Amino acid sequence: MAGNQSHYLYTPSPALAAVVAGLFGICFLITLFLIIRKRTWVWLVMLFGIGMEVVGYAARVVSANNVTEKTPYVVQFTLVILAPVLMAGVIYVLFSRIVFWVVPPELRTMRFIWVPPRFITLIFVGFDIISLLLQLIAALLISGTNPTDSNAQQKINLGKDLGLAGVGVQLAGFGLFSIAAARFHFSSRKVDTDFARMNMTKHGIQTNWTTLLWVVNASCVLILIRSVFRMVEFSEGRTGAVQQAEWYTYVFDTLPIFLVVVLYNIWFPGNYLKHLGFRLPKEHRRLPSDPETLPMGNMRPQV
């Protein structure tokens, strides 16, 4: 925006943004410590997402103190919009690792999991990448357009449509994932626990993986709440109610995402699973179609 016109339709609170940046900063340091301690390198994606929240709300402090400045507004808007997309992506990976940790190779079928096991990460991260790109372009168009531009309304409308598409893709992907994860929560109870217990014994892990699955499902609900809020925000545009007051953003975006981060700091995945590097070891990726996988009837201890 130009001149002395504020980028906000309300008076933003720099103090509140600073508190949120500080809270995410504490979570960033805790997550970094846990990643190094447990060598869960794939969780660096979550760390990067938390870092985006820290920088985003720090930029919001600057923007709240300089409401007519374009750069800090664009930075805070873009980073806060995109960070949860990265978090969703690493949760997809985590669910895939839980499946391969718990389910014996002969049961790793689409009928049992409702998703092709070999492509769990690829499918849902694919949704995430498309959503990320659409929301990135939308954020830049909406936050970076000056009202004095000759085609300002056209750019804002395009940004709004792309934002809706991006959040829609995220909602579709994450909604399907949430259904699969919730269904697995119940179907996994039918699986013989010997396979998971064998992995726990082999790698010296004492904590039960079922707690982590509860956390995955809880984080799904929280991210879905945030995604629905962003869908409403994009669909209403600047004339909508949610852009007229700051508390909507903090209650329906900031709070759910902060709770997701806190959940994984308390119940850190590295305490429940071993293989959380960027690539799952080959011996743990076996499927029923693989020649080295034993049929179910042969999964008995040899005498």
Side-chain angles (χ1 to χ4, degrees), residues 20-38 40-41 43-44 46-55 87 258 261-262 264-266 268:
V20 172
L23 290 173
F24 274 115
I26 292 170
C27 291
F28 180 91
L29 295 175
I30 293 172
T31 303
L32 177 61
F33 169 76
L34 292 171
I35 288 172
I36 295 172
R37 181 168 173 260
K38 292 292 184 178
T40 53
W41 307 125
W43 214 244
L44 287 170
M46 176 63 81
L47 184 72
F48 190 72
I50 299 171
M52 289 173 68
E53 295 281 3
V54 175
V55 177
M87 296 177 185
F258 179 69
V261 174
V262 170
Y264 286 110
N265 276 348
I266 296 173
F268 188 67

Side-chain angles (χ1 to χ4, degrees), residues 105-106 286-295:
E106 69 277 0
R286 288 185 291 136
L287 296 174
S289 57
D290 296 338
E292 65 270 24
T293 300
L294 292 171

Side-chain angles (χ1 to χ4, degrees), residues 102-176:
V102 173
V103 181
E106 69 277 0
L107 290 179
R108 295 170 185 169
T109 63
M110 185 169 177
R111 180 178 179 181
F112 184 76
I113 304 172
W114 282 15
V115 184
R118 197 186 296 275
F119 304 111
I120 291 175
T121 301
L122 182 63
I123 291 171
F124 291 116
V125 170
F127 274 103
D128 223 39
I129 291 172
I130 295 171
S131 172
L132 179 70
L133 292 175
L134 288 173
Q135 290 186 66
L136 172 61
I137 297 170
L140 292 175
L141 280 172
I142 292 172
S143 62
T145 299
N146 290 320
T148 54
D149 294 345
S150 58
N151 58 346
Q153 193 58 49
Q154 182 181 355
K155 287 182 179 180
I156 291 173
N157 288 337
L158 177 60
K160 174 183 169 182
D161 292 340
L162 289 175
L164 276 171
V167 177
V169 169
Q170 185 182 14
L171 268 174
F174 208 76
L176 291 172

Side-chain angles (χ1 to χ4, degrees), residues 10-24 53-54 56-62 64-65 245-251 254-255 258:
Y10 49 80
T11 302
S13 169
L16 185 55
V19 169
V20 172
L23 290 173
F24 274 115
E53 295 281 3
V54 175
Y57 283 101
R60 190 176 178 89
V61 175
V62 178
N65 285 316
E246 188 173 33
W247 69 266
Y248 285 106
T249 297
Y250 282 102
V251 171
T254 308
L255 181 59
F258 179 69

Side-chain angles (χ1 to χ4, degrees), residues 233-254:
E233 181 187 44
F234 278 123
S235 63
E236 289 186 344
R238 287 182 64 83
T239 59
V242 299
Q243 292 204 30
Q244 307 295 319
E246 188 173 33
W247 69 266
Y248 285 106
T249 297
Y250 282 102
V251 171
F252 295 110
D253 189 310
T254 308

